Amino acid sequence: MKDRGNDDVEKARLIDDFEMKKSSSPTSEQKRTEIVFWLGMLFLASVTMTVGNKYVMKEYPFANILTLLQNGCCVMMLLGGHRAGFIDFKEFKARQWKIFSVNAIFLTMQIVTSLQALPLVAIATVVAFRNMCTVVIAFVDYTFFGNRFSNSQIVGLCVTTVGMIIYAGQDINFNFWGYMWLLGNSFATVSNTFWNKVYITKFTRELKIQTSFGVSLIQQVETLPLVIVMAFARGEFSSSSSREYDGDASNASVDIFSLPFFVQFVLLITCVGGFLIGITYPKCFSLLSGTSVVVASTANKAASILIGMYVFGTILLPIQVFGLLICIGGSLYYAVESKRKK
């Protein structure tokens, strides 16, 4: 009887283990599906915001109005998400709005200068400049914040710099004003990075007095009056409604409602894309390691370059491709080593 009882217990245990394995299998499969979904969303958001913005700016060359539409759409989505209950905000206080007003200035500069540059230069050039910002940020980190780097990180930074020099030195798509806009974009990116490093980290991680979505809402809202003022100063509201679209955006007189349907559709996609980037990056970091997200982001950049070459007929010399690969590879290596150091 004792042996039989033990056999029954053992059978029951085996059945329970089998049932647990069956129940855990869909969970792991669900997680894989979730990872694939959010990586796909990150890919779509990244590519549409680069390729889509370049396409729209070629047809509708009003960077401030476009920024107003995109950031305004982002604000409405954040508020709608909060109303629906899946986006959390904490109490908004005057001090938060004051501190992030500086951040809003840098963010506005980042967006507008990037939009101004995109029609003038190849997407590969934009990617190269963004990777070069990594080197500048590291230099500022070392010089003013006393951050020290491993030999592997220094190698990555040096490789990134060499790649950028090779690419820029052979850029057959060189445009003076395009490069000037990208230099302004680089300045805004570096400045915004360190402002975020000091204040966003303090507010969201250390003091926990505001969520990342709350910070994003503050930033996006504060950009709106800035781009409205700049749009009026540049005469974008008057010129953009003075005549209907005639197939040539260079006349700087395009009515947004008379644009072809596909252009309006792409514009709408870019408005959604800005919001998606804001929510997909935190989600991907919660599901994957930082290194995996960096690798995925690098793959997205490469895809944007290839899609841009196809859509806009951009031609790159073999030496440019070589320099770009070195630049991206060095930046990726630096990012991976930085994560490993932590």
Side-chain angles (χ1 to χ4, degrees), residues 149-169:
F149 302 97
S150 66
N151 292 333
S152 298
Q153 289 175 293
I154 294 173
V155 169
L157 293 171
C158 292
V159 170
T160 302
T161 304
V162 171
M164 178 62 181
I165 292 173
I166 294 174
Y167 176 87

Side-chain angles (χ1 to χ4, degrees), residues 8-82:
D8 290 341
V9 172
E10 183 65 19
K11 287 179 181 178
R13 187 183 66 79
L14 291 173
I15 291 172
D16 288 342
D17 288 345
F18 178 72
E19 292 297 331
M20 287 179 65
K21 288 179 180 178
K22 281 179 65 180
S23 62
S24 65
S25 179
T27 303
S28 58
E29 181 66 29
Q30 199 173 28
K31 185 175 182 180
R32 283 196 294 269
T33 303
E34 186 179 13
I35 290 173
V36 171
F37 172 78
W38 283 107
L39 284 177
M41 295 299 288
L42 180 62
F43 171 82
L44 288 174
S46 179
V47 172
T48 54
M49 287 302 289
T50 304
V51 180
N53 276 337
K54 182 178 177 72
Y55 181 82
V56 172
M57 280 296 294
K58 279 181 169 291
E59 304 294 329
Y60 187 75
F62 304 104
N64 294 294
I65 294 180
L66 185 56
T67 303
L68 176 64
L69 293 172
Q70 292 178 347
N71 290 13
C73 184
C74 184
V75 168
M76 289 189 291
M77 288 182 177
L78 285 169
L79 293 174
H82 178 65

Side-chain angles (χ1 to χ4, degrees), residues 162-172 174 179 317 319-320 323:
V162 171
M164 178 62 181
I165 292 173
I166 294 174
Y167 176 87
Q170 302 295 325
D171 188 6
I172 59 173
F174 174 82
Y179 269 61
L317 297 174
I319 187 66
Q320 283 183 271

